[in-house]
């Protein structure tokens, strides 16, 4: 009987089966950007989906691409999370990123749930709102 009480107490202190919602979409994006800021491409790469990981092969290749193509994401001065939309198996998170010169950029992060954890499956730059080509 005492063993049962201990098991029940431990179950209440340490819940089992943590869900993806414990680490939100915003958290995953922020964790990856924090890793970029720390030049920790290995950690940043862990937040990428298996599809992205196989596309780049190594954390170094991935980091080089982000540094070269998305410097505003590599070293942002400000982030603003905007709307979110579910699209089939993915959730599209819009994000405004302001670079260190104060220039705003808009992106959509495609987020997918992999083994109960959110992963970044793609980042797409949007045209500047309010401007036309």
């Amino acid at each position: 009987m005492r063993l049962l009480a201990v098991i029940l107490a431990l179950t209440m202190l340490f819940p089992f089966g943590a869900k993806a919602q414990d680490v939100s979409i915003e958290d995953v994006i922020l964790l990856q950007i924090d890793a970029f800021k720390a030049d920790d491409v290995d950690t940043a790469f862990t937040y990428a989906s298996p599809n992205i990981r196989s596309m780049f092969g190594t954390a170094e290749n991935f980091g080089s691409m982000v540094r070269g193509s998305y410097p505003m994401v590599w070293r942002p001065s400000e982030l603003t999370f905007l709307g979110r939309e579910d699209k089939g198996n993915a959730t599209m998170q819009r994000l405004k990123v302001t670079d260190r010169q104060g220039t705003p950029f808009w992106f959509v992060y495609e987020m997918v749930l992999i083994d109960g954890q959110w992963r970044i499956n793609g980042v797409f730059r949007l045209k500047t709102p309010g401007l036309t080509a």
Side-chain angles (χ1 to χ4, degrees), residues 9-125:
L10 287 174
T11 301
M12 292 181 358
L13 288 175
F14 303 102
F16 295 97
K19 302 279 186 218
Q21 290 72 19
D22 292 344
V23 178
S24 71
I25 286 172
E26 291 90 351
D27 291 336
V28 170
I29 294 169
L30 290 171
L31 287 166
Q32 186 180 63
I33 290 174
D34 285 345
F36 290 147
K37 288 179 180 178
D39 294 322
D40 184 355
V41 293
D42 292 324
T43 297
F45 200 46
T46 66
Y47 299 108
S49 71
N51 183 46
I52 297 297
R53 292 172 63 87
S54 69
M55 188 184 319
F56 289 97
T58 68
E60 291 76 24
N61 291 340
F62 176 70
S64 292
M65 181 279 299
V66 175
R67 258 189 307 267
S69 299
Y70 301 99
M72 69 292 285
V73 172
W74 188 263
R75 293 286 190 270
S77 68
E78 185 178 341
L79 302 171
T80 305
F81 287 90
L82 305 170
R84 182 185 301 165
E85 184 179 354
D86 290 330
K87 293 271 190 175
N89 292 332
T91 297
M92 310 305 272
Q93 173 66 60
R94 288 186 300 282
L95 185 68
K96 177 183 168 190
V97 177
T98 304
D99 70 10
R100 292 185 176 203
Q101 289 72 43
T103 305
F105 298 87
W106 286 264
F107 293 92
V108 171
Y109 276 68
E110 180 181 344
M111 304 297 295
V112 292
L113 205 53
I114 307 290
D115 296 329
Q117 296 183 22
W118 289 110
R119 294 292 175 243
I120 300 167
N121 197 48
V123 177
F124 309 96
R125 189 167 166 193

Side-chain angles (χ1 to χ4, degrees), residues 1-13:
M1 188 62 142
R2 184 177 280 183
L3 179 60
L4 180 59
V6 170
I7 291 172
L8 287 174
L10 287 174
T11 301
M12 292 181 358
L13 288 175

